[in-house]
Amino acid sequence: MSDDLQLPTEDQRAPQTVPPRIGVVGAGQLARMMLGPAIELDLPLIVLASAEQESAAVAASEVRLGRHDDETAVRDLAREVDVLTFDHEHVPTGYLERLKAEGRVQVRPGPGALVNAQDKLVMRRHLSDLGHPCPRWWHVKDIADLEQALRENSGPVVVKTPRGGYDGHGVRIVERAEDAADWLEQHGELLAEQKVPFTRELSAQVARRPGGQTATYPVVQSVQRDGVCYEVVAPAPDLDEAAQHRIQRLAAAIAEDLGVTGMLAVELFETADGTVLVNELAMRPHNTGHWSMDAAVTGQFEQHLRAVADLPLGSTNLLAPCAVMVNLLGGSAPELVSGARAAMEADPGIKVHLYGKSVRPGRKLGHVTVVGEDPVQLLARAHRAEELIVDGPKSPDTTGRADEAVTSGGHPNPDRPRTPEETL
Ligand code: ADP
């Protein structure tokens, strides 16, 4: 395709007879998990990896080396594809604005939507202006603003760096304004939020096509460990149908209001009286939607590709009454292969997903999913597999402990929802 060729706008396009080529910026596990569905749908996919050993780079047939924050690398990828999408939200929006203005490639989600997943201050401002439920929040530009937030909140606030945070990095509970002075100096501005006394965290996934078609997934319950997603139950237990639908409508409305294309995850806090507040947004497949790969008619990775390729969306129906996903976070085993083998042998019903990453304590290395009827039993099975995989198979004299967890419905790892203090 020559550089100065202008593609017709979306509405003028003739129905495509060849599949759109998709470029994914970033080569983490999310890009990796798009590869299977891309093959199944015969969508050519190229990943932009910053290093050859990245999770998707070791698995993809088409890899370009370059960083997401190198405009030339992003543009070079864009030149080769019809649709640009993302493994993460950190591509500077300026690059994407320029690509969008040139019209050679479809950027999905577009920069105007994506900025809400990049910048928590922008997200809070937009969602509040649109009337979507958020925790009380303050834009902190100096120590005096933070002092005021602490006064108005009558207690500690949760302070967040607007950009670049992930897995709890960039989130801090602050009791005295000086506790965030270093961040203020570093970032220039911060987001402060009321510390929500949530009883649990929920997440709602929705896919949206460029023309506006949406497909919502069942709302799920998620548990974080040290700020990292650890456990997901789909659908969220004890969430009545009316609340399910209300939250699904909220997620679809946010997708529509922000003009998201692709998967949107809306992370939420639920409080004791059933109130739901938006925590944050992700515009890509999300950890709280991994269960859908094995337990929904259309998994979120396939759905993301369908949405960004402007293909009809697939059914989000569950294939079983309940699904549980548990993350495999680096533990004591130096490699996961022997533990994964033991887990598969112990329970043929579990689905094991490994991301091809080297082991580091706490690092997201994979996940397991179990589908069935009873969330308590499914959690026990998933955690048993998790323990075998991340800590390695036990010697015969200690295996009994893991078995107990299955038969008792208990769990060697604490699986109750964490309080905010434990989570942060
Ligand atoms: P990240 O972008 O790193 O995922 P989040 O904003 O999602 O950061 O915060 C990480 C975790 O911190 C959340 O999952 C939640 O458990 C806790 N948390 C964040 N904001 C608040 C808040 N306003 N009140 C209480 N807990 C919070």
Side-chain angles (χ1 to χ4, degrees):
M1 187 190 309
S2 94
D3 266 5
D4 52 3
L5 177 69
Q6 293 287 312
L7 278 185
T9 63
E10 211 129 67
D11 297 342
Q12 295 165 327
R13 267 189 184 192
Q16 281 185 317
T17 50
V18 289
R21 289 159 301 169
I22 297 180
V24 182
V25 182
Q29 63 264 20
L30 302 182
R32 180 183 171 107
M33 287 186 274
M34 291 179 204
L35 297 175
I39 292 166
E40 287 161 9
L41 293 174
D42 196 22
L43 294 169
L45 191 148
I46 308 176
V47 298
L48 180 66
S50 51
E52 275 170 0
Q53 67 277 17
E54 283 183 325
S55 183
V58 296
S61 60
E62 293 279 357
V63 182
R64 305 289 176 268
L65 283 180
R67 289 183 54 84
H68 67 274
D69 53 3
D70 172 353
E71 185 162 10
T72 305
V74 174
R75 292 182 77 83
D76 286 348
L77 174 69
R79 205 166 281 128
E80 290 195 75
V81 298
D82 302 301
V83 175
L84 201 65
T85 192
F86 310 96
D87 165 89
H88 57 71
E89 37 263 330
H90 303 306
V91 182
T93 38
Y95 302 180
L96 304 177
E97 295 285 5
R98 283 188 277 284
L99 282 173
K100 194 179 162 204
E102 289 160 23
R104 280 199 306 266
V105 69
Q106 302 291 340
V107 180
R108 294 175 176 159
L114 194 63
V115 68
N116 293 279
Q118 280 184 342
D119 188 316
K120 291 178 182 177
L121 272 167
V122 171
M123 178 268 293
R124 279 280 171 258
R125 195 171 303 121
H126 280 165
L127 292 185
S128 304
D129 288 350
L130 291 162
H132 295 307
C134 291
R136 196 167 177 207
W137 65 278
W138 296 264
H139 182 180
V140 173
K141 295 174 287 304
D142 53 32
I143 288 285
D145 288 342
L146 191 49
E147 277 163 355
Q148 185 174 345
L150 285 161
R151 257 195 322 275
E152 288 179 9
N153 194 48
S154 317
V157 290
V158 179
V159 170
K160 301 182 179 183
T161 58
R163 286 176 175 260
Y166 67 98
D167 288 348
H169 303 286
V171 177
R172 204 184 261 180
I173 293 185
V174 165
E175 295 191 23
R176 295 166 314 142
E178 311 84 82
D179 298 345
D182 56 336
W183 273 4
L184 251 179
E185 197 174 329
Q186 227 175 306
H187 300 276
E189 57 179 358
L190 298 169
L191 169 67
E193 292 177 353
Q194 151 209 13
K195 185 157 152 280
V196 179
F198 63 82
T199 44
R200 63 173 168 172
E201 294 185 72
L202 301 173
S203 180
Q205 272 84 35
V206 56
R208 184 173 177 277
R209 266 174 93 180
Q213 185 197 9
T214 57
T216 47
Y217 283 84
V219 177
V220 302
Q221 171 184 300
S222 72
V223 172
Q224 328 295 314
R225 194 169 72 174
D226 301 328
V228 181
C229 175
Y230 176 48
E231 185 185 282
V232 171
V233 181
D238 306 319
L239 189 68
D240 65 44
E241 217 172 300
Q244 269 278 353
H245 289 153
R246 187 165 42 83
I247 297 168
Q248 286 177 321
R249 279 198 304 275
L250 170 66
I254 293 173
E256 184 62 37
D257 290 344
L258 301 181
V260 178
T261 308
M263 287 297 303
L264 166 73
V266 182
E267 292 187 81
L268 302 148
F269 299 128
E270 187 186 46
T271 59
D273 65 359
T275 301
V276 159
L277 301 169
V278 177
N279 175 24
E280 66 167 345
L281 308 177
M283 291 180 197
R284 48 173 170 76
H286 189 253
N287 203 159
T288 56
H290 287 357
W291 62 272
S292 62
M293 298 170 84
D294 299 312
V297 174
T298 314
Q300 63 164 351
F301 295 95
E302 176 180 343
Q303 196 78 290
H304 185 73
L305 293 179
R306 285 188 188 218
V308 300
D310 203 11
L311 293 169
L313 300 180
S315 162
T316 57
N317 286 347
L318 281 161
L319 298 170
C322 180
V324 158
M325 189 251 20
V326 169
N327 265 354
L328 302 172
L329 305 172
S332 54
E335 49 77 26
L336 304 188
V337 177
S338 35
R341 180 190 296 266
M344 289 187 262
E345 199 151 63
D347 186 347
I350 54 159
K351 299 289 287 183
V352 179
H353 299 258
L354 302 177
Y355 304 154
K357 290 155 75 171
S358 57
V359 176
R360 278 205 306 267
R363 189 181 196 196
K364 280 183 191 170
L365 303 170
H367 68 269
V368 293
T369 308
V370 199
V371 299
E373 308 252 330
D374 173 16
V376 175
Q377 277 178 11
L378 297 179
L379 277 168
R381 285 171 60 194
H383 283 296
R384 182 189 183 206
E386 172 214 3
E387 202 184 4
L388 279 170
I389 298 170
V390 302
D391 292 331
K394 303 256 185 309
S395 57
D397 56 326
T398 53
T399 43
R401 272 183 48 225
D403 288 341
E404 264 167 42
V406 174
T407 48
S408 68
H411 164 334
N413 293 315
D415 61 0
R416 68 200 154 79
R418 307 300 190 279
T419 62
E421 282 79 359
E422 288 172 301
T423 306
L424 284 165

